Amino acid sequence: MILVAGGSGYIGSHVCKMLAKEGFDIIVYDNLSKGYESFARWGRFVLGDISDERQLDLVFSRFKIDAVMHFCASIEVGESVVDPEKYYINNVSNTLTLLKVMNRYNVKKFIFSSSAAVYGMPDKVPIEEEAPKKPINPYGWTKLMVEQILQDYDRAYNLKSICFRYFNAAGADPDGEIGEAHNPETHLIPLIIDAALGKRESIKIYGTDYDTKDGTCIRDYIHVNDLARAHILGLKMLLDGGKSDVFNLGSESGFSVREIIDIVKKVTEKDFKVIETERRPGDPAVLVAKSEKAKRILGWKIEYSIEEIIKTAWNWHQKL
Ligand code: UFG
């Protein structure tokens, strides 16, 4: 049985759908603070918070859990700067509670959602896993701290973990059952799609004076199902007795904000207003992953192009 903490959220729910397809038994453990109960369609659903040791105890004592996948986190970079307490409590302290209960029940396999935010402003792109870790906001620090905790837990308690450092997760389930719906939405692709749908008047480009080919920021967008597949491969590796490791998950190709806007216009055949405005604080000019390690060790590969990312997102948003 696999416990998926945060299985009702965007990435967690896509992983659950894939786990179910692969024949795994799943428990979705989620407080529904950001996720949706309608996304918990695979496996059993338990309403609970990872800070709630008693509730976790009930679940771990009732079910034989083989591994835990952990997708619960606060993810808004800007908010983490103004309210770091929320981030350190939710992302670090509550993760420690989950790990404590795992230890109590001798559950020793853990998959963790980390982030490219651990690298901060990279000196070199594409970014390798060994690149310096220099987070520039509390959100990035919380992810790096948990990575450190996991290294120490492996040494001390033999807890084996895989940390996946996501670049820009995007796209939706090709069957249109689940997709990306943050509230508030801050991510580029869903915001552009809302503009294409007429739900917002325009899309703003944050900064046109970066040192990039067209002056706008370049990011590495990766389809959520490509992310999900890496999680299944990582889980299987741990269940087969594999060792702890850390992997970047990105497509290894970068697209500028302007390019993404153009692709959305092309795929949706809609036009909308684009407003050029000042930079958003804390945005690195270019973030592109080197993902060779995940390919080599996990046998992972990218299946979705940027057009497919936009198409699947568009299909899902139209149904909302
Ligand atoms: N952007 C705009 N207009 C918008 C929204 C975003 O121009 O309305 C730009 C941003 O400035 C950035 C790019 O589009 O250059 C992508 O922005 P997102 O907010 O979609 O994603 P980020 O790259 O800022 O953040 C992602 C994850 C974070 C993670 C970070 C790692 O969403 O969780 O990568 O650096 F921390």
Side-chain angles (χ1 to χ4, degrees):
M1 184 83 85
I2 311 297
L3 184 115
V4 185
S8 305
Y10 171 44
I11 300 173
S13 60
H14 286 81
V15 171
C16 284
K17 181 167 179 177
M18 211 173 269
L19 282 169
K21 254 193 200 150
E22 293 272 327
F24 286 98
D25 281 332
I26 309 160
I27 300 173
V28 172
Y29 186 90
D30 201 299
N31 65 5
L32 297 181
S33 63
K34 294 285 179 185
Y36 304 93
E37 198 167 348
S38 61
F39 279 22
R41 301 178 185 204
W42 301 276
R44 289 165 199 264
F45 177 71
V46 177
L47 181 66
D49 198 292
I50 52 165
S51 65
D52 186 346
E53 219 176 307
R54 260 193 57 222
Q55 175 77 327
L56 283 172
D57 252 324
L58 285 175
V59 175
F60 278 77
S61 56
R62 176 146 175 229
F63 300 101
K64 161 94 189 61
I65 313 273
D66 301 297
V68 173
M69 300 176 114
H70 177 30
F71 298 95
C72 313
S74 301
I75 60 160
E76 288 163 45
V77 170
E79 184 190 45
S80 80
V81 177
V82 293
D83 190 6
E85 181 180 82
K86 175 174 172 184
Y87 280 71
Y88 287 111
I89 289 178
N90 195 24
N91 296 5
V92 183
S93 169
N94 294 348
T95 298
L96 279 167
T97 305
L98 177 61
L99 291 172
K100 183 171 155 193
V101 177
M102 284 178 64
N103 251 343
R104 188 178 303 146
Y105 289 88
N106 215 23
V107 179
K108 300 285 187 187
K109 321 261 180 220
F110 192 67
I111 306 273
F112 177 62
S113 300
S114 188
S115 169
V118 301
Y119 299 112
M121 299 277 183
D123 309 322
K124 219 176 88 190
V125 277
I127 307 172
E128 297 181 1
E129 284 83 355
E130 294 69 34
K133 276 30 127 229
K134 301 179 292 187
I136 52 165
N137 48 59
Y139 169 73
W141 277 113
T142 64
K143 294 292 175 182
L144 190 58
M145 284 177 186
V146 172
E147 287 195 12
Q148 180 60 50
I149 289 167
L150 290 171
Q151 271 186 37
D152 296 338
Y153 274 43
D154 185 358
R155 224 168 290 131
Y157 312 124
N158 198 32
L159 186 139
K160 300 294 173 199
S161 66
I162 298 216
C163 298
F164 286 118
R165 296 183 187 140
Y166 307 154
F167 282 65
N168 290 62
D173 168 33
D175 306 330
E177 288 187 284
I178 44 180
E180 184 174 17
H182 297 110
N183 187 16
E185 189 55 76
T186 59
H187 294 90
L188 181 67
I189 292 178
L191 288 174
I192 307 178
I193 286 179
D194 275 351
L197 281 170
K199 286 191 184 168
R200 38 177 68 239
E201 269 184 18
S202 59
I203 183 76
K204 285 188 179 143
I205 299 184
Y206 295 139
T208 53
D209 59 348
Y210 285 96
D211 185 16
T212 58
K213 55 189 168 187
D214 64 16
T216 68
C217 286
I218 293 180
R219 292 288 180 275
D220 182 338
Y221 297 90
I222 171 157
H223 193 279
V224 62
N225 269 5
D226 281 330
L227 285 185
R229 207 166 337 91
H231 288 68
I232 309 289
L233 293 167
L235 174 70
K236 286 183 176 170
M237 194 171 84
L238 284 188
L239 293 174
D240 286 345
K243 65 178 180 58
S244 296
D245 216 334
V246 176
F247 298 99
N248 281 342
L249 293 181
S251 70
E252 302 194 302
S253 40
F255 290 90
S256 73
V257 175
R258 280 193 215 279
E259 285 175 325
I260 296 292
I261 292 173
D262 288 345
I263 299 168
V264 174
K265 285 188 175 176
K266 207 171 107 211
V267 167
T268 64
E269 298 177 343
K270 303 275 179 203
D271 202 9
F272 44 85
K273 204 156 109 193
V274 177
I275 299 174
E276 297 185 1
T277 178
E278 67 278 9
R279 291 181 178 200
R280 189 174 68 175
D283 274 339
V286 184
L287 280 179
V288 176
K290 195 158 193 295
S291 281
E292 179 276 329
K293 187 176 171 191
K295 292 178 186 162
R296 179 168 39 88
I297 296 180
L298 297 174
W300 179 66
K301 63 179 197 306
I302 294 284
E303 289 184 0
Y304 291 82
S305 67
I306 189 69
E307 284 79 13
E308 286 165 323
I309 289 176
I310 308 283
K311 256 183 222 156
T312 53
W314 173 241
N315 288 342
W316 190 73
H317 276 267
Q318 277 176 300
K319 284 190 179 176
L320 272 185

